[in-house]
Structures are given as structure tokens and as C-alpha cells.
Amino acid sequence: MMQDIQVLSPIAVLGIGVVVLMMEVAFRRSLSMTFTITVSTLVLALLCIPWAAEAPNSQVTVLLRGDGYALLFTGIFLVGGLLTCILSPRYIASRGDEPDEYFLLLLLATMGAIVLAYATHVASLLLGLELMGVALYALIAYPDRSLLPLEAAIKYLVLSGAASAALLFGFALAYGATGALAFSDMAAALAAPESTIMLVAAAAFIFAGLGFKLSLVPFHMWTPDVYQGSPMPVTGFLAAVSKAAVFAVLLRLFVDAQLYQYDAIMRILGFVAILSMLGGNLLALLQSNLKRMLAYSSIAHMGYLLIVLIASRNAGTRALAEEAAIYYLVAYTATTIAAFSLLTFVGLKRSDQGSMDLGTLSGLFWQRPLLAGLMLVAMLSLAGIPLTAGFIGKLYLVQAGVAGSHWIMLGALVIGSSIGIYYYLRVVFYMARRPEDARVTLLEGDEALPGTLLTCALIALVLWLGIAPQPLIDYVRAIL
Amino acid sequence: MSLLILIMILLIGGAVAAVAAPGDNQRARLISLVTLIAALVQLALIVTGADPVQAGGSEWLIHHQSQWIPRFGISLELGLDGLSLLLVVLTLLLGLVAISASWDEIDFKPGFFQANLLWTLAGVVGVFVSLDLILFFLFWEVMLVPMYFLIAIWGHENRGYAAMKFFIFTQVSGLLLLVAMLALAHTASQTMGYYSFSYFELLGQAPSGKLGLAIMLGFFLAFTVKLPGFPFHTWLPDAHTQAPTAGSVILAGILLKTGAYGLLRFAIPLFPDASQQLAPWAMGLGAAGVVYGAVLAFGQDDFKRLVAYSSVSHMGFVLLGLYAFNQLAAQGAVMQLVAHGVSTAALFMMAGALQQRLHTRDMRKMGGLWHNAPRMGACAMFFALASLGLPGLGNFIAEFLVLAGLFATTPWLAAIAALGMITGAVYSLVMIQRAFQGVPDEERDLPDFGPRELLTMLAMVATLVWLGVYPQPVFDLAQPMLDSVGQWLPVAGGR
């Protein structure tokens, strides 16, 4: 019992934090107190991770497993939540609203993401997904009662709901065919399939559901609108944490349930990967709105990551593929959160919400050199230029692709990244424009200091992971 | 380690310039100057204190290796042989020229300008001394970022387009290079049993057949785009024309050489068989580049664009020289790297000086400048003659050797390439005629070269004369490397 609590301690701490926060909001509304409770809950949960890692047995019931894999992602999601939380007060304050419940929702969403990282069972997968999803619907619409966020929230609610339903139905069919709900039991049952048609249908539904959450082409339609409408800190959370959480659980499902044995699944995956890499990048190319651009670029990044699932087919490259996936996810999450928090600093007035145009970054280098320098690193990392985490991530992906001889995938990766370089670089180009044609509206004063520090730390991490990746590589290899 | 210190000097010097002199041009260029001199001193120390070692079939002045990412067998492996030394010296000296060329041209953020200049140089030096493929790739890509800034921030009217085109061309080919490198390391790991990106370990590990050819093409494309070889040259005229003077000097003088260096150091020795297969095509591209570049250069009205296209033509000789697999031709190619680096840098400096004084690069608006500024005219004349291959100057030695070597293997290609020397004379002299001769405009106020510019020009004049009269030191430096390349080739290219 004690051991179970030890393993689950990060989730438990978050749960307690949520309850405390709920009470506090009910009795006495105070933004500073709410904020303090949220931050300390997240920090406390972070501090629990080393303790949780010491537990001798990481499996808690059939539902959750708090192994190194889960704890690594737990750490990342907590940092993501923390950054989102620290960035939020000023953002919300500039919109004049009661933001207390916002923090409650943020804690719940983070908790959902962590449950996904722990999940080894269909039930915990769905629970985590819904916990995160439902909190996110509200988070998108909460701080700002204008039209765009509402539209985004409704879109996300309806489409995400449909996707969850599809997922649920898919799992039900899979259960019908195999009689298993835990990932590892599925592997055994899938090895001797009885009713293949049911399994094919199940795979299609499950894949559609998860594909929607990861916004893979052709399930990507919602992404740009939702990103554009969401408040900036929430967009960052959505792009980084929620995506990484879903991919983390997908990878676990894929490996534990040994889905790589099925040619049909692999073929569909390959097709979707190529579509996502090319489609995401091509559509990002056409955007002048930064949030939409990053939305499409996240589609492409998820497409790149699918290469890993495809490479996990051969037994020889499976370990490398998993390693690649984890490294890439860490790099992508850190960079994306950093990029969105930097965009948050380029604060815009309420009326400009959603119209985060490329032009708003004009001349940022000369007005706020630090901010622009950090943004430069983030963009270079997303583009995969050496000395950043993004490069090592890409190196890993290419390595996995080469090892498995997936030349078509690599071709798509090269073409996609080439397109990507153009639009990431366009951001840098706008930032470097001479001050003559600059028009940047920035938050005044140094009140954003904690956020700035945390972002600096995150960018430092991105650089460190790019310059000295060996420690993380060693860690990843140790936990696999 | 001392090579790493050399690179660090340039990196740190750049950072100091950016921080200590954000708006003070005088201080910025001083910091830059001091940094480059310190780097030269460090290089001299390395060379004098060198304890040569044998590796990969040739002699290395210095070789250093330490672990970096053991997971993939990526190490911090740096080495300096004669060829690298030659190009590093060229890099640092042209760095000085670049500073001189931009002496009082920069009024916007001079500190950051000098920083980008030094960072680019650091990246180029890194390219020339890296012996680990991934480390090489890192410098190859990272040097683009400061160069991009040089063009995008301080460039001329169409800078955004040019900077983007430059970056994308190199990046896209760079991605192919990365895939090719990983594919090579992967196939090699299957025989070696472990991953390694070390140059010496990968020598002789290239897979045979189609796979080898495909991997080699990845290398070849990346380097040929940078060189630039026809038909991948289209980024070059834009980038060179739009870059600020110092940027053009570095771009034409050094950055193009990284492509040639990559071919000579990596593409040919790592893939001897596949390179031999490709040779006719590569030489065909080279010859096409020689003629095509020359013809286009002739048609330009823009002074800088003309010089840029002439680079395409001259770099065609390098491609010819490298793929003739013949010692004479290879020596000619190496000499071309040095001589073209100096002569083109001088011509771009000239173009920059004209632009600063006349606010145009259009030769239709020039004419009779010799009368207004005789010193400029004389310098321009000298470098135009050097560029067209006047005997007695470095470029002649280079192009003559390439043609002589080529004639031994494929005479008809040598005949085509020799056309380039005629057309070279045509466009060089037309350039002088249109810009410096003709009826002078008496209204024009054109200050002649001052002592600083004259000194820089004279130093380059002296270098070219020296290279033309006594080229043996350059040959001696490059010889061991070329010998080792010959040793990897199956048909030991006749001497």
C-alpha cells in the first residue's frame, strides 16, 4: 500500500492540491493565494518524482505503471504545467476576469496528462484523456469571453468528444475480439486473433481517435482554429503537454500490445506519417498567423514522430526507435513550451487576441534582444539546426529510419524539414528586421520576471540537450 | 585541444564585440581585429609546436580526439593537415580583409555585425578542422546562421529574399548530407560492430554498388550546392549581390571553399569507387559551369553580380580538377581555392567600395572611373587580369594546372573548359571597360582609395603575385593529402 502511494505520489499530490484549491476558491477568492497553492502543488509533485523512482515495484494495479518512462514524462508535464501557470496571471489580468478556476483546471489538465504517462490499461488511458480533454475545453474558453476562444472551445469540445467516442468504441471492439483491456494482455490475445474483421474495425477506430488527439493528417482540421482561439499560455500547454502525453501513451500501447506485428497498421501509419509531414509543413508555409503556423508545424512534428513507430517494426531497431521517440518528445515539448511562453511575452491587447501576426515580431531583436535571442534558439530547435535539442532529436529519427531502411519516410522527412526551415526562418527574418518597420507591443515592466527566468532555463535546457545530449541518452537507455 | 581554443577565440571575440560595443563601430572593429590577430597567433603557436602524427595515410600536424556523444560514436575529433592549414590561414586572412572592407560601411549595430562576422569565421575554421562527420556537419550548418544574419540584416535592397534562398539551398542539401552520413555510419557499423563517425574509421567502409552511389550522391550534392556547381548555383548570384561587402568577401572567398574542401576531404576518399563512377558527370557539370558562368557574367550590368557569376565559372575549374583524378589537376584545384579566394575577395571589396561611394552597382551608371580614382582603377585592373588568368599570377597557375591535368585524361573536356579562359578574358575586360574606362563624369565626386584600402589591396596583390611566381609552398602543403586521396582510389590516378 505504502509502496503504491510512493509510486503514485506525483498524482496524489496533484489530487490533494486540486481539492485544497477547490475549497479555497469556494471560501475565499484570492488570486495570489490560488496562484501560490497551484505553484506549490506542482513543485511538490515535482519533488516527489525522485522518491517515486525509488519504489521497488512500479506497477500499481493493472491500470498504472510509474516506471522511469512515466516519471520522465511526469517531470516534463509538471514543468510544462508550472510554466503555463506562471505565465498565466498577467495574461489573464490583462483581460480583467476572475481567474481562480483557471488554475484549478490547469492542475486537472496536468493531472490528466500524467495519468496518460502512467497508463498501461485502456481504462486509465481513457480516464487520463478525458480528464485532460475536459479541463482543456474549459481552459480554452475560460479567460476570455470573446468570440474566437468560444469558437475554439466549441470546436474542440465537439470534435474531441467525437474522437473520444470513436476511441471508446474501438477499445470496446478490441475487447470483444480479444477479451483484454490491459496493454500487455492485448499482446498475448492479439497474437492469435480470432475475429479479424472486428480487430480491423477496432484498429481503425482507435487510430482515428488517437490520430485526432495528435492532430495527424487527415484528422488535423481542428488544430489551427483551436490554437488560434486559445489563450496563449493554454495554446502552449495544448501543443506541448497534451500532444506529448497522447504520444507517450500511444507509444506505450504500441510497444506493450506489440501492434507493430500488423502490416495493415504499419502501412496506414506510414501513409498518415507522410501526409502529416508534408501536409503540416505545406500548410504551415501558407500561414501568416504565428499561432496557426505553429499549429501546422506541430502536425508535422507528430508526423516525424510516427517514423519511430514504423521503425519499431524490426526487432533490431526497436530499442533505438523507442529511445528516439523519447528524446524527440522531450526536445519537442521543451522547445514548444518555450516558444509559446516567449510569444506570451510579446503581449497583445485584448482586441488583438488571435491575430498574432508575423509582423508583430518585426524588429524584436533590437527592442528586446534577450526575448528575440531565446526565440531564435526555439525556432532553430524546431527547425532541427545543430547545437539545439531539436537537432539531436532529428538525428535520432533519421538514425532510426536509416537503421530500418525506411527510405521513403526519410525522403518525406527531408522534404518536410526543408519546407519547415523556410517558415521557421521567416520568424527569425521578421525579428531581425530593422527598427524602421517594427511595431511590437510588449508587456511593460519586469513583472514577467519569474516567467522569463523559467523560459531562459528551458531554452538553456534546449541548448544543453543539443550540446551535451549524452546524460539524457544514458538516462533514457537506463529506463527502457 | 589547441584547435578548439582557436575556434573558441573567434566565438568569444564575437560575443565580446556584440556585448561590449553594441553601437560603437570603432570599438567593434577593433575588437574584431584583435580577435583575428589573436587567432592567427594561436594558429602560429599550433603550427610551430606541432608534433606530426600519421593517420589515414597522411601526415597530420595535430590530431585531437575526445568523446562527445558515445551513444552514436560521435567524438570531438579535430585535426590539421597541410590542406586544412592552407584553408584556415586563408580564412583568417580574408577575415582581416573583410574587416577592412567593412571598416566604415556599417552604421547599424556594428557590434553585432562584427560578432556575426567572427562567428561565421569560427564555423568555417571548424569545418576545415573537423574530422568527425557529425562535428563537421554541426559547423557546416551552424556557420549558416550568422551568415544568414549578415545578409538579412546588413544586406542591400533585396536582402530578405537572398538570405532565405541562401539558407534554404544549403540547409536542404545539408539534410541530404545528414541522411547520407548516418547511412554511411550505419552500413559501416554492420562490419565494425559499433557506430563511429570518425573520418579515419570510416575510410574504406563505404558500401559498394547502388547504395554506395546513393550515399555518395548525398555528400556530393551538399558540397556541390555550396561550391556551387552548375546547376545548383542559383542561390549564389543573389546571396553575393545582396550581402554587405564583408559578407560577400567571406562568402566568395571562404564559404564556397568549404564545398570544395568537403569534396576533396570526404566525398572522394570515403567513396573512391562511387566517385570514379560519378567522375564523368561531375566533370561535365564542372565544364558546363565554367562556360555557363562566364557567359552569364558577360551579360550582367550589376558589378557584384558579374563577379558572382565569374565565381561560378572559376569554381567549375575546381570541380574539373578534383574529378580528373590526376595529381596535376588536383593541385590546380587546390591552388584555385586559394587564388580565387584572394582575387574574388578583392573584386568584391572593390564592388563594395564603389557601392559605398556611388550608391550603385550598376555599371551603366559608371564609366571613366579611372579618371576620378586612378588607384581604384589600377587595383581593379590588376584583379581583373588575375581573374582572367594572366600568367604570372596565382589564378593562371591554378587554371593551367587543371587544364593540363585534365588534358591527360579527357582532352575534349579540357578543350571545352579552356573556352572559359577566353570568355573569362572577355567579361573581365568588359567589366573594366564599362566601369573604369570611357568618358568620365566630371561632376562625380569619387574619393580614391585611402591608405587602409590601398594597404589591403596591395597585400592581396602581393599574395597573388607570390602565388603566381612561387607556388611551390602551396603544393607542398597540399601534397600529402592529395597523395593519400590517390591511395584510396582504385586506379591510382597517374601522377
PDB file of all heavy atoms in Angstrom, chain B residues 256-269:
ATOM      1  N   LEU B 256      32.552  29.310 -50.132  1.00  0.00           N
ATOM      2  CA  LEU B 256      32.485  28.431 -51.297  1.00  0.00           C
ATOM      3  C   LEU B 256      33.533  27.329 -51.188  1.00  0.00           C
ATOM      4  O   LEU B 256      33.332  26.212 -51.658  1.00  0.00           O
ATOM      5  CB  LEU B 256      32.728  29.222 -52.576  1.00  0.00           C
ATOM      6  CG  LEU B 256      31.804  30.402 -52.843  1.00  0.00           C
ATOM      7  CD1 LEU B 256      32.052  30.942 -54.236  1.00  0.00           C
ATOM      8  CD2 LEU B 256      30.355  29.985 -52.711  1.00  0.00           C
ATOM      9  N   LYS B 257      34.647  27.673 -50.551  1.00  0.00           N
ATOM     10  CA  LYS B 257      35.738  26.707 -50.458  1.00  0.00           C
ATOM     11  C   LYS B 257      35.385  25.540 -49.558  1.00  0.00           C
ATOM     12  O   LYS B 257      35.989  24.464 -49.681  1.00  0.00           O
ATOM     13  CB  LYS B 257      37.005  27.400 -49.955  1.00  0.00           C
ATOM     14  CG  LYS B 257      37.805  28.082 -51.036  1.00  0.00           C
ATOM     15  CD  LYS B 257      37.056  29.196 -51.662  1.00  0.00           C
ATOM     16  CE  LYS B 257      37.725  29.780 -52.870  1.00  0.00           C
ATOM     17  NZ  LYS B 257      36.878  30.827 -53.450  1.00  0.00           N
ATOM     18  N   THR B 258      34.443  25.755 -48.649  1.00  0.00           N
ATOM     19  CA  THR B 258      34.068  24.627 -47.793  1.00  0.00           C
ATOM     20  C   THR B 258      33.471  23.503 -48.643  1.00  0.00           C
ATOM     21  O   THR B 258      33.653  22.331 -48.329  1.00  0.00           O
ATOM     22  CB  THR B 258      33.051  25.047 -46.727  1.00  0.00           C
ATOM     23  OG1 THR B 258      31.909  25.577 -47.375  1.00  0.00           O
ATOM     24  CG2 THR B 258      33.630  26.075 -45.780  1.00  0.00           C
ATOM     25  N   GLY B 259      32.762  23.877 -49.716  1.00  0.00           N
ATOM     26  CA  GLY B 259      32.196  22.855 -50.600  1.00  0.00           C
ATOM     27  C   GLY B 259      33.291  22.040 -51.265  1.00  0.00           C
ATOM     28  O   GLY B 259      33.267  20.810 -51.264  1.00  0.00           O
ATOM     29  N   ALA B 260      34.281  22.758 -51.804  1.00  0.00           N
ATOM     30  CA  ALA B 260      35.391  22.062 -52.467  1.00  0.00           C
ATOM     31  C   ALA B 260      36.148  21.207 -51.462  1.00  0.00           C
ATOM     32  O   ALA B 260      36.527  20.067 -51.747  1.00  0.00           O
ATOM     33  CB  ALA B 260      36.321  23.089 -53.096  1.00  0.00           C
ATOM     34  N   TYR B 261      36.347  21.771 -50.287  1.00  0.00           N
ATOM     35  CA  TYR B 261      37.054  21.030 -49.245  1.00  0.00           C
ATOM     36  C   TYR B 261      36.303  19.743 -48.898  1.00  0.00           C
ATOM     37  O   TYR B 261      36.904  18.671 -48.758  1.00  0.00           O
ATOM     38  CB  TYR B 261      37.187  21.913 -48.002  1.00  0.00           C
ATOM     39  CG  TYR B 261      37.762  21.206 -46.807  1.00  0.00           C
ATOM     40  CD1 TYR B 261      39.128  21.042 -46.668  1.00  0.00           C
ATOM     41  CD2 TYR B 261      36.931  20.707 -45.804  1.00  0.00           C
ATOM     42  CE1 TYR B 261      39.658  20.388 -45.576  1.00  0.00           C
ATOM     43  CE2 TYR B 261      37.450  20.053 -44.711  1.00  0.00           C
ATOM     44  CZ  TYR B 261      38.818  19.901 -44.600  1.00  0.00           C
ATOM     45  OH  TYR B 261      39.326  19.248 -43.522  1.00  0.00           O
ATOM     46  N   GLY B 262      34.972  19.858 -48.787  1.00  0.00           N
ATOM     47  CA  GLY B 262      34.168  18.680 -48.469  1.00  0.00           C
ATOM     48  C   GLY B 262      34.322  17.590 -49.517  1.00  0.00           C
ATOM     49  O   GLY B 262      34.448  16.413 -49.199  1.00  0.00           O
ATOM     50  N   LEU B 263      34.333  18.008 -50.793  1.00  0.00           N
ATOM     51  CA  LEU B 263      34.510  17.025 -51.862  1.00  0.00           C
ATOM     52  C   LEU B 263      35.860  16.337 -51.736  1.00  0.00           C
ATOM     53  O   LEU B 263      35.975  15.115 -51.802  1.00  0.00           O
ATOM     54  CB  LEU B 263      34.416  17.713 -53.222  1.00  0.00           C
ATOM     55  CG  LEU B 263      33.039  18.162 -53.677  1.00  0.00           C
ATOM     56  CD1 LEU B 263      33.150  18.962 -54.953  1.00  0.00           C
ATOM     57  CD2 LEU B 263      32.131  16.973 -53.892  1.00  0.00           C
ATOM     58  N   LEU B 264      36.881  17.149 -51.522  1.00  0.00           N
ATOM     59  CA  LEU B 264      38.236  16.620 -51.514  1.00  0.00           C
ATOM     60  C   LEU B 264      38.495  15.782 -50.267  1.00  0.00           C
ATOM     61  O   LEU B 264      39.141  14.733 -50.324  1.00  0.00           O
ATOM     62  CB  LEU B 264      39.220  17.791 -51.587  1.00  0.00           C
ATOM     63  CG  LEU B 264      40.697  17.455 -51.697  1.00  0.00           C
ATOM     64  CD1 LEU B 264      40.934  16.501 -52.843  1.00  0.00           C
ATOM     65  CD2 LEU B 264      41.500  18.729 -51.915  1.00  0.00           C
ATOM     66  N   ARG B 265      37.994  16.248 -49.140  1.00  0.00           N
ATOM     67  CA  ARG B 265      38.289  15.574 -47.881  1.00  0.00           C
ATOM     68  C   ARG B 265      37.379  14.363 -47.672  1.00  0.00           C
ATOM     69  O   ARG B 265      37.827  13.322 -47.189  1.00  0.00           O
ATOM     70  CB  ARG B 265      38.140  16.562 -46.718  1.00  0.00           C
ATOM     71  CG  ARG B 265      38.223  15.935 -45.343  1.00  0.00           C
ATOM     72  CD  ARG B 265      39.646  15.610 -44.921  1.00  0.00           C
ATOM     73  NE  ARG B 265      40.361  16.805 -44.511  1.00  0.00           N
ATOM     74  CZ  ARG B 265      41.681  16.941 -44.575  1.00  0.00           C
ATOM     75  NH1 ARG B 265      42.422  15.957 -45.070  1.00  0.00           N
ATOM     76  NH2 ARG B 265      42.256  18.051 -44.200  1.00  0.00           N
ATOM     77  N   PHE B 266      36.089  14.526 -47.973  1.00  0.00           N
ATOM     78  CA  PHE B 266      35.137  13.473 -47.608  1.00  0.00           C
ATOM     79  C   PHE B 266      34.598  12.698 -48.812  1.00  0.00           C
ATOM     80  O   PHE B 266      34.715  11.481 -48.867  1.00  0.00           O
ATOM     81  CB  PHE B 266      33.970  14.060 -46.808  1.00  0.00           C
ATOM     82  CG  PHE B 266      34.393  14.640 -45.491  1.00  0.00           C
ATOM     83  CD1 PHE B 266      34.502  16.004 -45.318  1.00  0.00           C
ATOM     84  CD2 PHE B 266      34.694  13.816 -44.423  1.00  0.00           C
ATOM     85  CE1 PHE B 266      34.904  16.536 -44.100  1.00  0.00           C
ATOM     86  CE2 PHE B 266      35.102  14.333 -43.216  1.00  0.00           C
ATOM     87  CZ  PHE B 266      35.197  15.699 -43.044  1.00  0.00           C
ATOM     88  N   ALA B 267      33.996  13.412 -49.756  1.00  0.00           N
ATOM     89  CA  ALA B 267      33.244  12.710 -50.808  1.00  0.00           C
ATOM     90  C   ALA B 267      34.145  11.764 -51.602  1.00  0.00           C
ATOM     91  O   ALA B 267      33.767  10.623 -51.854  1.00  0.00           O
ATOM     92  CB  ALA B 267      32.585  13.722 -51.735  1.00  0.00           C
ATOM     93  N   ILE B 268      35.337  12.214 -51.965  1.00  0.00           N
ATOM     94  CA  ILE B 268      36.184  11.365 -52.815  1.00  0.00           C
ATOM     95  C   ILE B 268      36.885  10.268 -52.012  1.00  0.00           C
ATOM     96  O   ILE B 268      36.771   9.092 -52.360  1.00  0.00           O
ATOM     97  CB  ILE B 268      37.177  12.232 -53.618  1.00  0.00           C
ATOM     98  CG1 ILE B 268      36.384  13.133 -54.560  1.00  0.00           C
ATOM     99  CG2 ILE B 268      38.132  11.348 -54.404  1.00  0.00           C
ATOM    100  CD1 ILE B 268      37.210  14.106 -55.326  1.00  0.00           C
ATOM    101  N   PRO B 269      37.587  10.569 -50.919  1.00  0.00           N
ATOM    102  CA  PRO B 269      38.265   9.482 -50.201  1.00  0.00           C
ATOM    103  C   PRO B 269      37.310   8.469 -49.573  1.00  0.00           C
ATOM    104  O   PRO B 269      37.619   7.280 -49.538  1.00  0.00           O
ATOM    105  CB  PRO B 269      39.051  10.201 -49.106  1.00  0.00           C
ATOM    106  CG  PRO B 269      39.121  11.610 -49.530  1.00  0.00           C
ATOM    107  CD  PRO B 269      37.912  11.872 -50.341  1.00  0.00           C
TER     108      PRO B 269
END
